[in-house]
Amino acid sequence: MCDRTIRKMAGTLRHVVHRRNDGSSCFFTDEDYLVYLDCLKEAAERHRCAIHAYVLMPDHVQLLVSLDTELRFARVMRCISGRYVEYVNYIYQRNGAFWEHGPKFTLIDSEQDLLATYLSIEATPVRACLAASPADYRWSSHGHHADGSEDTVIRDHPLYLNLGATQRERQLAFHALFRQPLGDRAPAEIRPSAHLGSTLSGDRLTDRIERLVRPGTMEHAFAAA
């Protein structure tokens, strides 16, 4: 599947980072996380965008989103953040600015960087020392991708579906991606680019990921998992 096919099938892909304006917590109870996920699902359905991956951290949110226009992106983020802030203001009797001025995002334009973004997003709790492994963190899409947990927020990207012919094969292949010794290379390369309008090129990720998505290499991935 070429990069042009990715864009044609899934629209513009963005790695979105949205932080609390003063660096303090976005979420205070489990109910807050659940409400945000409900806001995320509703906004995606209303404005016809696809959420492919996410992680809700105590002080920020990361999303992997595909949509077809800049206007639709603005509407989606306004819908998510606006409804959640209304909830927070009502429950905690507060007012004033909540989010940073506008979410930051990176445009994703290659297969390799798309997979690297999946890994970067779902490994965030591990890098932040909030979990020993991505599977130990409740508020991310990792359970859906790696273990088949039901997640009504997620719409699978064609590249993820291409990891295997069945759900189990895709889960094993996704597990294998996390087991590759990538270190901090891929996340470090993604994070500095997460600002308005930047674009990642596809030539900076380790060959291990590229091998996993080439035809004929899945058997090795399954064995590794």
Side-chain angles (χ1 to χ4, degrees), residues 163-164 169 172-173 176 211-212 214-225:
L163 290 175
E169 287 181 354
L172 290 171
R211 285 199 299 270
L212 280 173
R214 284 208 306 264
T217 61
M218 286 299 169
E219 294 81 5
H220 176 71
F222 303 153

PDB file of all heavy atoms in Angstrom, residues 163-164 169 172-173 176 211-212 214-225:
ATOM      1  N   LEU A 163      -2.258  -5.387   8.704  1.00  0.00           N
ATOM      2  CA  LEU A 163      -1.280  -6.135   9.490  1.00  0.00           C
ATOM      3  C   LEU A 163      -1.614  -7.619   9.560  1.00  0.00           C
ATOM      4  O   LEU A 163      -0.744  -8.430   9.903  1.00  0.00           O
ATOM      5  CB  LEU A 163      -1.205  -5.574  10.913  1.00  0.00           C
ATOM      6  CG  LEU A 163      -0.569  -4.192  11.086  1.00  0.00           C
ATOM      7  CD1 LEU A 163      -0.680  -3.742  12.532  1.00  0.00           C
ATOM      8  CD2 LEU A 163       0.890  -4.213  10.633  1.00  0.00           C
ATOM      9  N   GLY A 164      -2.845  -7.993   9.251  1.00  0.00           N
ATOM     10  CA  GLY A 164      -3.205  -9.405   9.294  1.00  0.00           C
ATOM     11  C   GLY A 164      -4.570  -9.645   8.699  1.00  0.00           C
ATOM     12  O   GLY A 164      -5.389  -8.725   8.594  1.00  0.00           O
ATOM     13  N   GLU A 169      -4.540 -12.125  14.072  1.00  0.00           N
ATOM     14  CA  GLU A 169      -3.280 -11.877  13.388  1.00  0.00           C
ATOM     15  C   GLU A 169      -2.856 -10.415  13.549  1.00  0.00           C
ATOM     16  O   GLU A 169      -1.681 -10.117  13.753  1.00  0.00           O
ATOM     17  CB  GLU A 169      -3.400 -12.228  11.907  1.00  0.00           C
ATOM     18  CG  GLU A 169      -3.450 -13.722  11.628  1.00  0.00           C
ATOM     19  CD  GLU A 169      -3.554 -14.013  10.144  1.00  0.00           C
ATOM     20  OE1 GLU A 169      -3.710 -13.049   9.352  1.00  0.00           O
ATOM     21  OE2 GLU A 169      -3.493 -15.192   9.767  1.00  0.00           O
ATOM     22  N   LEU A 172      -1.478  -9.901  17.091  1.00  0.00           N
ATOM     23  CA  LEU A 172      -0.136 -10.456  17.245  1.00  0.00           C
ATOM     24  C   LEU A 172       0.905  -9.584  16.558  1.00  0.00           C
ATOM     25  O   LEU A 172       1.995  -9.344  17.094  1.00  0.00           O
ATOM     26  CB  LEU A 172      -0.097 -11.879  16.682  1.00  0.00           C
ATOM     27  CG  LEU A 172      -0.858 -12.930  17.480  1.00  0.00           C
ATOM     28  CD1 LEU A 172      -0.923 -14.245  16.708  1.00  0.00           C
ATOM     29  CD2 LEU A 172      -0.216 -13.155  18.846  1.00  0.00           C
ATOM     30  N   ALA A 173       0.567  -9.091  15.380  1.00  0.00           N
ATOM     31  CA  ALA A 173       1.502  -8.231  14.657  1.00  0.00           C
ATOM     32  C   ALA A 173       1.715  -6.921  15.410  1.00  0.00           C
ATOM     33  O   ALA A 173       2.827  -6.398  15.473  1.00  0.00           O
ATOM     34  CB  ALA A 173       0.978  -7.957  13.247  1.00  0.00           C
ATOM     35  N   ALA A 176       3.976  -7.465  18.222  1.00  0.00           N
ATOM     36  CA  ALA A 176       5.345  -7.596  17.736  1.00  0.00           C
ATOM     37  C   ALA A 176       5.987  -6.236  17.483  1.00  0.00           C
ATOM     38  O   ALA A 176       7.176  -6.049  17.739  1.00  0.00           O
ATOM     39  CB  ALA A 176       5.367  -8.435  16.460  1.00  0.00           C
ATOM     40  N   ARG A 211       9.609  -3.997   7.639  1.00  0.00           N
ATOM     41  CA  ARG A 211       9.559  -5.427   7.353  1.00  0.00           C
ATOM     42  C   ARG A 211       8.247  -6.040   7.821  1.00  0.00           C
ATOM     43  O   ARG A 211       7.701  -6.938   7.197  1.00  0.00           O
ATOM     44  CB  ARG A 211      10.742  -6.136   8.023  1.00  0.00           C
ATOM     45  CG  ARG A 211      12.078  -5.902   7.329  1.00  0.00           C
ATOM     46  CD  ARG A 211      13.072  -6.958   7.747  1.00  0.00           C
ATOM     47  NE  ARG A 211      13.336  -6.933   9.181  1.00  0.00           N
ATOM     48  CZ  ARG A 211      14.299  -6.199   9.740  1.00  0.00           C
ATOM     49  NH1 ARG A 211      15.042  -5.398   9.008  1.00  0.00           N
ATOM     50  NH2 ARG A 211      14.491  -6.230  11.039  1.00  0.00           N
ATOM     51  N   LEU A 212       7.731  -5.547   8.942  1.00  0.00           N
ATOM     52  CA  LEU A 212       6.508  -6.131   9.490  1.00  0.00           C
ATOM     53  C   LEU A 212       5.297  -5.894   8.601  1.00  0.00           C
ATOM     54  O   LEU A 212       4.353  -6.672   8.629  1.00  0.00           O
ATOM     55  CB  LEU A 212       6.239  -5.557  10.887  1.00  0.00           C
ATOM     56  CG  LEU A 212       7.043  -6.194  12.022  1.00  0.00           C
ATOM     57  CD1 LEU A 212       6.807  -5.430  13.296  1.00  0.00           C
ATOM     58  CD2 LEU A 212       6.680  -7.653  12.204  1.00  0.00           C
ATOM     59  N   ARG A 214       5.475  -5.555   5.202  1.00  0.00           N
ATOM     60  CA  ARG A 214       5.661  -6.060   3.853  1.00  0.00           C
ATOM     61  C   ARG A 214       5.046  -7.433   3.745  1.00  0.00           C
ATOM     62  O   ARG A 214       5.107  -8.238   4.674  1.00  0.00           O
ATOM     63  CB  ARG A 214       7.163  -6.139   3.513  1.00  0.00           C
ATOM     64  CG  ARG A 214       7.784  -4.797   3.204  1.00  0.00           C
ATOM     65  CD  ARG A 214       8.955  -4.978   2.262  1.00  0.00           C
ATOM     66  NE  ARG A 214       9.921  -5.942   2.772  1.00  0.00           N
ATOM     67  CZ  ARG A 214      11.030  -5.597   3.450  1.00  0.00           C
ATOM     68  NH1 ARG A 214      11.278  -4.337   3.707  1.00  0.00           N
ATOM     69  NH2 ARG A 214      11.863  -6.527   3.855  1.00  0.00           N
ATOM     70  N   PRO A 215       4.445  -7.788   2.610  1.00  0.00           N
ATOM     71  CA  PRO A 215       3.880  -9.119   2.429  1.00  0.00           C
ATOM     72  C   PRO A 215       4.938 -10.195   2.661  1.00  0.00           C
ATOM     73  O   PRO A 215       6.092 -10.042   2.285  1.00  0.00           O
ATOM     74  CB  PRO A 215       3.423  -9.103   0.965  1.00  0.00           C
ATOM     75  CG  PRO A 215       3.201  -7.668   0.656  1.00  0.00           C
ATOM     76  CD  PRO A 215       4.252  -6.922   1.448  1.00  0.00           C
ATOM     77  N   GLY A 216       4.512 -11.279   3.325  1.00  0.00           N
ATOM     78  CA  GLY A 216       5.410 -12.399   3.523  1.00  0.00           C
ATOM     79  C   GLY A 216       6.215 -12.337   4.796  1.00  0.00           C
ATOM     80  O   GLY A 216       6.994 -13.240   5.084  1.00  0.00           O
ATOM     81  N   THR A 217       6.060 -11.266   5.555  1.00  0.00           N
ATOM     82  CA  THR A 217       6.846 -11.147   6.786  1.00  0.00           C
ATOM     83  C   THR A 217       6.004 -11.319   8.034  1.00  0.00           C
ATOM     84  O   THR A 217       6.516 -11.251   9.138  1.00  0.00           O
ATOM     85  CB  THR A 217       7.530  -9.768   6.860  1.00  0.00           C
ATOM     86  OG1 THR A 217       6.515  -8.770   6.868  1.00  0.00           O
ATOM     87  CG2 THR A 217       8.451  -9.556   5.683  1.00  0.00           C
ATOM     88  N   MET A 218       4.713 -11.536   7.897  1.00  0.00           N
ATOM     89  CA  MET A 218       3.854 -11.631   9.066  1.00  0.00           C
ATOM     90  C   MET A 218       4.161 -12.854   9.919  1.00  0.00           C
ATOM     91  O   MET A 218       4.036 -12.811  11.136  1.00  0.00           O
ATOM     92  CB  MET A 218       2.377 -11.683   8.633  1.00  0.00           C
ATOM     93  CG  MET A 218       1.871 -10.340   8.169  1.00  0.00           C
ATOM     94  SD  MET A 218       1.986  -9.137   9.497  1.00  0.00           S
ATOM     95  CE  MET A 218       1.650  -7.644   8.575  1.00  0.00           C
ATOM     96  N   GLU A 219       4.580 -13.950   9.294  1.00  0.00           N
ATOM     97  CA  GLU A 219       4.861 -15.149  10.090  1.00  0.00           C
ATOM     98  C   GLU A 219       5.931 -14.880  11.133  1.00  0.00           C
ATOM     99  O   GLU A 219       5.848 -15.330  12.264  1.00  0.00           O
ATOM    100  CB  GLU A 219       5.302 -16.302   9.162  1.00  0.00           C
ATOM    101  CG  GLU A 219       4.221 -16.797   8.218  1.00  0.00           C
ATOM    102  CD  GLU A 219       4.075 -15.908   6.993  1.00  0.00           C
ATOM    103  OE1 GLU A 219       4.885 -14.971   6.854  1.00  0.00           O
ATOM    104  OE2 GLU A 219       3.165 -16.160   6.200  1.00  0.00           O
ATOM    105  N   HIS A 220       6.947 -14.093  10.751  1.00  0.00           N
ATOM    106  CA  HIS A 220       7.999 -13.746  11.709  1.00  0.00           C
ATOM    107  C   HIS A 220       7.434 -12.900  12.842  1.00  0.00           C
ATOM    108  O   HIS A 220       7.776 -13.060  13.998  1.00  0.00           O
ATOM    109  CB  HIS A 220       9.117 -12.994  10.999  1.00  0.00           C
ATOM    110  CG  HIS A 220      10.192 -12.514  11.916  1.00  0.00           C
ATOM    111  ND1 HIS A 220      11.090 -13.328  12.534  1.00  0.00           N
ATOM    112  CD2 HIS A 220      10.490 -11.255  12.357  1.00  0.00           C
ATOM    113  CE1 HIS A 220      11.914 -12.638  13.290  1.00  0.00           C
ATOM    114  NE2 HIS A 220      11.564 -11.368  13.213  1.00  0.00           N
ATOM    115  N   ALA A 221       6.543 -11.987  12.487  1.00  0.00           N
ATOM    116  CA  ALA A 221       5.940 -11.130  13.506  1.00  0.00           C
ATOM    117  C   ALA A 221       5.131 -11.949  14.494  1.00  0.00           C
ATOM    118  O   ALA A 221       5.184 -11.718  15.694  1.00  0.00           O
ATOM    119  CB  ALA A 221       5.055 -10.077  12.860  1.00  0.00           C
ATOM    120  N   PHE A 222       4.365 -12.928  14.000  1.00  0.00           N
ATOM    121  CA  PHE A 222       3.544 -13.738  14.881  1.00  0.00           C
ATOM    122  C   PHE A 222       4.415 -14.572  15.816  1.00  0.00           C
ATOM    123  O   PHE A 222       4.130 -14.730  16.992  1.00  0.00           O
ATOM    124  CB  PHE A 222       2.630 -14.671  14.082  1.00  0.00           C
ATOM    125  CG  PHE A 222       1.747 -13.928  13.117  1.00  0.00           C
ATOM    126  CD1 PHE A 222       1.285 -14.561  11.961  1.00  0.00           C
ATOM    127  CD2 PHE A 222       1.380 -12.624  13.353  1.00  0.00           C
ATOM    128  CE1 PHE A 222       0.471 -13.878  11.086  1.00  0.00           C
ATOM    129  CE2 PHE A 222       0.563 -11.943  12.476  1.00  0.00           C
ATOM    130  CZ  PHE A 222       0.107 -12.570  11.329  1.00  0.00           C
ATOM    131  N   ALA A 223       5.510 -15.095  15.275  1.00  0.00           N
ATOM    132  CA  ALA A 223       6.415 -15.897  16.095  1.00  0.00           C
ATOM    133  C   ALA A 223       7.034 -15.052  17.184  1.00  0.00           C
ATOM    134  O   ALA A 223       7.199 -15.496  18.327  1.00  0.00           O
ATOM    135  CB  ALA A 223       7.510 -16.503  15.225  1.00  0.00           C
ATOM    136  N   ALA A 224       7.336 -13.789  16.864  1.00  0.00           N
ATOM    137  CA  ALA A 224       7.957 -12.904  17.846  1.00  0.00           C
ATOM    138  C   ALA A 224       7.006 -12.564  18.975  1.00  0.00           C
ATOM    139  O   ALA A 224       7.422 -12.246  20.080  1.00  0.00           O
ATOM    140  CB  ALA A 224       8.432 -11.618  17.173  1.00  0.00           C
ATOM    141  N   ALA A 225       5.718 -12.582  18.663  1.00  0.00           N
ATOM    142  CA  ALA A 225       4.737 -12.235  19.707  1.00  0.00           C
ATOM    143  C   ALA A 225       4.461 -13.400  20.627  1.00  0.00           C
ATOM    144  O   ALA A 225       3.829 -13.237  21.634  1.00  0.00           O
ATOM    145  CB  ALA A 225       3.445 -11.770  19.045  1.00  0.00           C
TER     146      ALA A 225
END
